[in-house]
Every structure is written in C-alpha cells, then in structure tokens.
Amino acid sequence: MDQQLGERMCFGPFCLAPGERLLTKHGEPVEIGGRSFDLLVVLTEQPGRVLSKRELLKRVWSDVVVEDGSLRFHMAGLRKLLGDGTDGARYIATQVGVGYAFVAPIERQGGTAPRRAADESVKPPVSTTNLPARLPHLIGRERDVEFLVERVADTPLFSIVGAAGVGKTSLAIEIGHRLAPAFTDQVAFVDFSMLENMAVVPSMIAGAMGIAVQSEDPLAVILGHIRDRPFLLILDNCEHVIEPVAAIVERIVEEAPQARILATSREPLRVRAEHVLRLDALAYPEELAGLTTEQILAYPAVELFRERATAADSALVIDAEAARLIAEMCQRLGGMALPIELAAVRVATHGIEATARQLGERFSLGWSGRRTAQPRQQTLQATLDWSYELLSDVERIVLERLSIFVGPFSIDAALDVVADAEIGSDAVAFALDELVSKSLISPDRSRRTGTYRLLEMTRAYAREKLFARGPEAQAGIARRHAAYFLAELVMAEQDEGVLQDARPLRLQLGNIRSALDWCFGPHGDRRIAVRLAAASAPVFLNLSHLIECRTWCGRALAEIEDGQRGTAVELELQAALGITLMFTRGNSEAAGSALARALEIATALEDRWNQLRLLGRLHIFHERIGEYATALRHAEHAVQVAEQIGAPEALGVAYSLLGISHHLGGDQKSARRELELSLQNSPPSARSRTIHYGFDHRNRSGIALARTLWLSGHADQAGRQAGQTIREAAQLDHSVTYCIALIWSWAVYIWMEDFPAAEEDLAAFSACAEANALGPYVAAAAGFRGELAIARGQGGEALGAVEESLSRLRAARYELLTTPFSIALARGLVLDGRCPEALDLIDAALVRCNANGERYSVPELLRLKAGILARCDSAPDAGRAVLEEALALAREQGARAWELKVEADLAALG
C-alpha cells in the first residue's frame, strides 16, 4: 500500500494510521475488522478516485478468491462504523456500476503524500444538479433512506408511491443528495406540480436537466445527453401527468442503460422494470397504555409533531400530559406528515390542549371515513378544511386568490394580483405573513429569491374555494394575473441580463403558461392574450421551447384584432413564428412569409433595429433554401439600414450578411474586407444577443472569414481562424450556432486535406446534432462521413451515404450543402469508374450554381469536369478549354487556392 510508515490520514473525527493499523475517533481507538481496515486504507490512498470492485477485491482479498457479496458486506459495515450519512457526513460514494470512492476531505500528517493518480487530472462532468434544499432532519425515514440508497443505484426505475402529504418529495430529495456524489452530481430534479399542460412534460424534463431543445423531439435530445453515461433523474408529483411520464420513462429505461430514475406518485407508473416502494405513514403509538413519556416521544410521528411545534414556539414545554395529547393527535391524523405539520404549527397559537380539542371536533367525521377505506385525500381535505376555518375572512380570500400562481411568486406579484378595491395592499401583505406563519404558504429560502409558493394540495384546495365564489371572481383574479406577467415580460425585454440567465425565467414558466391558457380560453381576454404571446416569445426562445413558442404565436396571430395589426405586437409574433417554423419544421414557405410580414411591419414603423434583425433572419432563410441572389439583396438592404442606424453593432451585423453573400457568390476580395469589417464592429458574442437575433452574427462572420481566407490562398490563417471560431461557438452554449460553425469549418479542413481535424470536427458536430435532435444536421453528419471516406480514396458505401444525406436535406429544403455533396459524389463516382454519371452530376451542379448565384465553387466544379474529361474522354486535351475557363474565373474571384489547383492540372497536361 502507498502510505508511508508513520503517516496519518485525518478526516472528520477520525484518524487512520496504516503503519500502526490503528483507527481512532476523537483520539480513542475504534474497533475495526482487518478486512474493513484494509478496505479503508485502499480507499484513502487516492481520495476522490473511483476504485473498481475488481481492483478493491484484488487489493484487499489478494490471498483468497471471494465474490462481490463480501465486498458489499464489508463496505456496508465500514459505512456504518464511520457513521456515513449521519448528520450529513459523507465518506464513501458509490459510482453506479463501477465501484467506490472516498469523498471526504483528508488532512495528511507525517510522511509524504502519495503520488497523484494518473487519471485524477481528468475533470468530472459539469454538475447539472438542481436539487432543492434537503430537510435538516428527515424524521422516521431512516430505513427508507437506507433501502433506497442501496437499491436506486442498481435499479433502472424506482417509484416512491403513497398518499398526498405522506412525505414522498422530501424522501426523494434526500436520496438525490445522498446519491449525487455517486453520479458525479449528474442529477436533475423535475417538479411536475407546477405543470398543467401534459404536452410539455418532455420539455420540462429537458429544462430541469439544463438542456437546450431546438427540435420537434425533446425526448430524443434527453436520450442524446444520457444514453451513454450515468445520470439520476428524479421525477416528482407524477400522478397528474402519469401517462406521458410513463411513456418517457420506458424509453429512457430501454435506451439509456446507465441512467437511473426515481419517481414519486400517488400510484405506480406501471411500466416495465419498475420497482415500487410504498411509503407508509409515520409510525405512531396505537395504544398509549403502559408507554412512558420517552417511549411516546420516540415514535417518528410524535417526534415530527414535537420538532415542528417547538420550532414554531421555542418556549413550548412538552411534559407527560402534552406528550399523550400529541400522540392522540398523531393517531387521529393517521401519522400523515403534512397534517401533522399543520397541526403542530397551530399549537404555537392555540396551545396543545386547544389544538387537540379542535382537532377532535373538526376531524371526527373525516377519520371515520378513512377507517372505512375512503381515499386518503379525505384526510388531507379534512386537514385543509380545518386550517381554512381557522383563517380570518381576509386570509381566506387571499389564500384563494394566491392559488392562481403556478409555482413561486414574489411579494410584489402577490400584492399586484391579489389586491383590489375589496382588499388593499396592506391587508394582503399582512394576510400573507399570517399564512406563512401558519404553514399554508411556504417561503422559498433555498434559492434566496424572496419568493413564496403554495404546496400542491393547498393550492388545489384553495382553487376549489376560488371557483366556488363564481366565474366573475375567478375571471377577475385571472385577468390581473395575466396582466401582471404581461407587464413583467415587457419590462424584461429592456434588460439584457434577463435573457443572459435562463434560470429565473424557467421558474416563471408555469405562471406564463397558466396566464396564456386562461387568456386563450373560453372566458379569457383575447387582447391581453395576443400581447402576452408576443411578450413571452423571447422567454420560450431563450429556454429553447421552440414548438411551444410557435404554438402560442400561431394562436395569437389567428385571433389578433384589427387594432393590433401592423403594430410591434404583430411584428414580434411574426418574427418568432418565422424563426421557430424554420428550425422546427424546416425552411417552409410559411416561415418565409412570417419573416417577410415582420419585415414589412418593421419598415412601416421605421423600426430600423428590427428591420436589421429580420433582414438577418431572412438572409439565412434564403441562404438555406439556395436562393443566394435573394439573400444578397437582403444583405445589401441591411447595410443601408445599418448605415442609417450608425451604431457599430448594426454595421457588424450588416457586413456579416454582405460578406457571407459575397463569399458564397464568389467575390472573395469583397468578402474578406466585409467580414473583417464585421468583426471589427461586432461586440463580443453573448447569449442574450444570440437569442435576440436568432443566431450569432459575429460567430458566422468568423467562420465565413476562415473559408474566405483559405480560398484566398492563406491556408494557415484559415486554420487558425476556424479553430478560434469553433472554440468561441462552444463557449456560447448555443447548439445551432455551434453546428453552423462546425459545418463551415468542415469545408476548410476538407479543402486543406487535414483529415484528422476533419474527423474531430465531425465527431463534435455529430454529437451536438444528435444530442439536440437537429434533424437536418443529423442528416448532414451522415453525408460528411461519406465525403470524408471519398476524400480518402474510398467509394462504394460512401456514395450511398452521401446520396441518402443529400436526399434527406433536399426534403427539408436545406440546399446549402448540395454543391459540396455533389462534388463528393462526383469524385466517388470517378473512383468507381462511373465517369459518365460523374460528368452529368458536375454539369447539373454548374447549371444550378450559375442560376442561383452560388459561384464560389464553380472554379472547382470546372476543374473536376476537366479532370473527368481528361480521364474518360479519348481526346487527351479534352479538358484544357474547361481548365482555362476555370483559371480565368478563379482569378476573377480572387480564389487563389482554386487558381493554384487549376494551374497544377494545366501543367500536368503539358
């Protein structure tokens, strides 16, 4: 073993002296078995490193042959001896399917520290954990915690099933924190209690995982991220979305073998591979006779009541009589955690005796129903009925109105939405404080955002009370709720920081969706609906909920009033609809029409910044469908608008468009000048600006400049520019921008015949496209593989790959890769001796490029044609005239790279 004689490793209250074979706790020797001691020594040699089960067995049981069961037995004993998991202490973590790691900080004393493990420099995956704060003390669930910690890591799907209020969520959160180290913090917590629309279940899961989804299929994106790596997904409150959740879970279990799912629900998901833990109520004394006070207080239900009651009133004294009254209340409450907590808080106000008396009076009928097998919901209903009756009239109305919020809400939101002529702001603020003190509203301290939320069952109960007041009362609060979030979103549009950080936006998605649902519903307000859809579009775009954004914008435009036509509201709706259609349904005519209409409105309003933004979207739209002449006109128009604006950022955008058009059109001298001018004027790339424009103009300028530099004869500069731009795109964390950079850099590496760089580029592109389910890019990746094989002199199957990719791209009206893939196909056909077919393909590409304005590749097409003629035509000089045409065009374009290739071919002809 690596530790030197005399060296000690100290962690927590323990010190380990391997040379002396001694383990102490607070200086006192600890009795520990020989194998367990050896196991601890091996683990502490390399803290933080995961040691495989095979390695541990080899090191600790080198003299005998044993099975994995012995390792698990001694590991469990060692953890128990160290108190692993007690009061938050963590010493040994399990890496699912691999082994174990010592995770506690170690202070070495004496000797010299062991050398760093060779693989210790490898950085762990970026943490995606979004777990809520755990309870400081999870009462009565020790066995459940121990059971789940042991089983969840090795089980594809575990469901915690139980009645509402029994404590499923708290248990799941605790398990998430316990297992986070074993999954290297790759844990995501999804709270479906805020969700009202089952259609967005996949998007909500992706959002909780921190994944940007820019495709029709969020589930494919989720699978792309976790298919080949360990991940713990915690799905909370599944009962009201059980069908879509069950379908998603089954796919994950089948296609992501290292992923683990922990679900909470009132009923099992009923899918393959599901294991179920039915969470019972907390244990309480069914018979008090013969029990001492200490024995009564030891029951988990009584312990929970006591802890919550003394927290609400630190002066509370629990004597023998109080302990018995608490035990009787726990009996009446059936050991259910939520009703116990509600009752315990009442003790601080009414005292133990009064609370016990009221509980008996208010809950007698309810508990009789439970004993005759009525649903557990009746128990919660009774609890909430009782809590509701203890409120003042104003507190009741405030609680009901607060149920309009889905998820967290601020004090400002509560005051604006709840207050009206009947109840003023001061009364609302006072009632809110009272409701918090009575545990009917929970302050969200974990995020330190000063927000509040209603528990799921409390909100449902309060909403029923609100509905009972009639449609007019419901409509009034819903209208103020929608108006509040409309105003918030309008103000947020002026703050770039809002779009830069997506986390606060994600927290309000439930409220935004709820407001939109009501506004577009049968009793909603259509005028607010249209404005709210427009104001929420940047939020959905920022969070990559493109399909949802497209849906709301489409509905708003279908119901827009005459007074809103031609306004900034319609402009935003059309602009968002156009770009979401383009990325989710391909380059359809509807996408182009929406963008054109938005530009028409911006022009009429003399809104030059929006003209520039829309000209950029129209430019890339027409570029993608192969209408290069139209794209050039948009670029020239953008320059005019930018000059009128006069700001450097505007000029950077406009010259980016113009430089790209000139590059594709074959004017490399102008392209280089304009692209460099764009980069000089463009501010640093930022996510907020990328979301605003729809893609990153600076990044597109950089990668287009790399291609232009290569064509101009500066290969080294082109390679450096391509590498720098790809790195910047990766840091931007915007999948579409990253894929665009990789597509354009691919051409540079293929032209340079730098096949290792091309392979690295392709691997990154393919991974990004598949992980984000970007259909056209996935199709392109298959074509790139074929193109690379052909460039290395292989034909056969590579031809089929390129042909299939080209067919799929054309179906999506994505023409930007048609010419490069046609060139690859022609080269592959020549390799297979199919010269006439190759010649026909080149001639067709020349006709298309001359017709649509894609002129940059024409010199190379002509050079390839000449080569085919020279190879396959009986006349030796059949291709000379074609080469001379290619040479003249290359010089005219400033394409020195093509020029050199043509000159070499002419020299070969003699």
Side-chain angles (χ1 to χ4, degrees), residues 212-215 541 544 546 579-580 582-584 587 620 624 687 690-691 693-697 699-700 703 725-726 729-730 732-744 764-765 768-777 814 816:
V213 179
Q214 302 181 14
S215 72
L541 290 173
S544 298
L546 302 189
I579 200 164
T580 53
M582 182 163 56
F583 285 116
T584 61
N587 307 308
I620 198 171
R624 285 160 65 97
R687 181 174 177 81
T690 301
I691 298 299
Y693 287 110
F695 43 86
D696 194 77
H697 285 285
N699 201 266
R700 291 186 75 223
I703 205 64
T725 308
I726 290 171
L732 194 59
D733 190 25
H734 189 253
S735 58
V736 171
T737 295
Y738 188 42
C739 283
I740 289 173
L742 292 167
I743 280 180
W744 284 52
F765 174 76
C768 184
E770 291 179 3
N772 292 280
L774 301 175
Y777 292 156
Y814 191 92
L816 195 59

Side-chain angles (χ1 to χ4, degrees), residues 156-162 192 201 205 233-253 260-278:
L157 168 63
F158 231 108
S159 295
I160 303 173
V161 175
F192 289 121
V201 166
I205 295 175
L233 190 59
I234 302 176
L235 306 179
D236 192 38
N237 293 299
C238 297
E239 50 271 0
H240 63 300
V241 289
I242 199 161
E243 291 185 6
V245 167
I248 291 169
V249 163
E250 199 158 69
R251 282 281 304 279
I252 293 175
V253 169
R260 297 293 180 261
I261 299 171
L262 179 63
T264 74
S265 178
R266 296 180 193 176
E267 61 179 309
L269 301 183
R270 295 188 179 90
V271 298
R272 288 192 298 273
E274 183 183 29
H275 290 239
V276 176
L277 171 65
R278 295 190 178 274

Side-chain angles (χ1 to χ4, degrees), residues 497-637:
V498 174
L499 293 179
Q500 191 70 20
D501 186 358
R503 289 171 295 180
L505 295 174
R506 187 171 284 114
L507 291 175
Q508 293 303 334
L509 266 183
N511 282 304
I512 295 170
R513 287 166 173 155
S514 178
L516 285 166
D517 278 329
W518 178 81
C519 285
F520 283 104
H523 306 294
D525 187 322
R526 292 299 186 272
R527 190 168 183 82
I528 294 180
V530 172
R531 295 166 59 204
L532 183 60
S536 62
V539 175
F540 289 118
L541 290 173
N542 194 355
L543 300 176
S544 298
H545 296 316
L546 302 189
I547 299 172
E548 194 169 359
C549 181
R550 184 190 74 201
T551 300
W552 291 121
C553 289
R555 290 187 66 175
L557 287 167
E559 301 195 31
I560 193 169
E561 298 178 355
D562 291 340
Q564 294 173 314
R565 295 188 186 278
T567 66
V569 170
E570 187 191 355
L571 186 157
E572 193 62 41
L573 290 170
Q574 297 283 11
L577 180 63
I579 200 164
T580 53
L581 283 170
M582 182 163 56
F583 285 116
T584 61
R585 288 186 174 173
N587 307 308
S588 63
E589 292 183 7
S593 296
L595 293 174
R597 171 59 181 162
L599 177 61
E600 178 185 339
I601 297 171
T603 304
L605 295 175
E606 298 184 354
D607 184 346
R608 293 189 176 91
W609 277 108
N610 265 319
Q611 288 178 53
L612 187 64
R613 178 169 67 131
L614 290 159
L615 286 167
R617 294 185 184 186
L618 282 164
H619 179 272
I620 198 171
F621 173 81
H622 288 285
E623 174 191 294
R624 285 160 65 97
I625 64 175
E627 294 181 354
Y628 299 97
T630 303
L632 175 59
R633 289 196 295 273
H634 288 312
E636 291 169 342
H637 187 185

Side-chain angles (χ1 to χ4, degrees), residues 113 188 223 233 293 299 378 404 426 444 516-517 621 633 637 671-672 683 700 804 849:
L223 290 169
L233 190 59
T293 301
Y299 278 88
Q378 295 299 317
I404 195 69
D426 290 344
D444 189 354
L516 285 166
D517 278 329
F621 173 81
R633 289 196 295 273
H637 187 185
R672 180 175 180 181
R700 291 186 75 223
E804 182 181 354
C849 289

Side-chain angles (χ1 to χ4, degrees), residues 253-305:
V253 169
E254 291 173 356
E255 299 184 34
Q258 297 185 62
R260 297 293 180 261
I261 299 171
L262 179 63
T264 74
S265 178
R266 296 180 193 176
E267 61 179 309
L269 301 183
R270 295 188 179 90
V271 298
R272 288 192 298 273
E274 183 183 29
H275 290 239
V276 176
L277 171 65
R278 295 190 178 274
L279 198 61
D280 294 325
L282 296 173
Y284 55 88
E286 296 183 0
E287 295 291 338
L288 294 176
L291 294 179
T292 65
T293 301
E294 289 72 24
Q295 290 173 326
I296 292 172
L297 294 175
Y299 278 88
V302 178
E303 183 184 359
L304 176 63
F305 195 114

